[in-house]
Amino acid sequence: QVQLVESGGCLVQPGGSLRLSCAASGSIFSINTMAWYRQAPGKQRELVARIRSGGNTYYADSVKGRFTISTDNAKNTVYLQMNSLKPEETAVYYCNAGVVGWGTAAYDYWGKGNQVTVSS
């Protein structure tokens, strides 16, 4: 079993910055991908950014140039640095990881979500 624990969500003013963290723990052989999704009230969950084990990254068009995803592989931790935040980016941010366990196939795990509110 694998657990993802997120931290860093809070209230921030428009134009402000915030860094989210997500640490994976448990029965981990390797991590193929780590990603951040978000879900705003009344909207579908959307992919914000993803990073693969080789370092390849993907960003949603709406966050390119403002958000940066990175990992600390020694700590099985993924970060999302968010700059120039906008009110419409208020959402619950979820961490996702594609993990290969010891003797098991790859499986997608999710964190419980972290509220980010962008408001003055």
Side-chain angles (χ1 to χ4, degrees):
Q1 193 62 281
V2 173
Q3 296 80 39
L4 301 181
V5 178
E6 300 137 327
S7 61
C10 68
L11 171 66
V12 62
Q13 291 189 342
S17 297
L18 200 60
R19 189 175 83 153
L20 303 180
S21 301
C22 172
S25 63
S27 180
I28 299 171
F29 175 73
S30 64
I31 299 177
N32 294 335
T33 63
M34 299 192 85
W36 289 96
Y37 288 72
R38 66 187 178 192
Q39 187 166 18
K43 295 188 176 181
Q44 288 188 332
R45 190 174 298 189
E46 63 173 349
L47 174 63
V48 176
R50 180 183 61 220
I51 186 166
R52 300 193 184 278
S53 58
N56 179 268
T57 57
Y58 163 85
Y59 295 95
D61 287 343
S62 60
V63 307
K64 284 181 181 176
R66 298 186 298 117
F67 289 14
T68 302
I69 189 169
S70 62
T71 55
D72 182 335
N73 293 329
K75 297 180 179 179
N76 289 332
T77 298
V78 63
Y79 305 96
L80 185 67
Q81 177 66 43
M82 304 184 291
N83 299 327
S84 302
L85 282 160
K86 305 174 182 179
E88 56 265 36
E89 293 178 311
T90 294
V92 177
Y93 284 69
Y94 296 91
C95 176
N96 168 270
V99 178
V100 179
W102 291 96
T104 65
Y107 188 81
D108 259 6
Y109 291 91
W110 291 89
K112 293 182 179 181
N114 213 359
Q115 177 69 45
V116 172
T117 302
V118 185
S119 175
S120 55

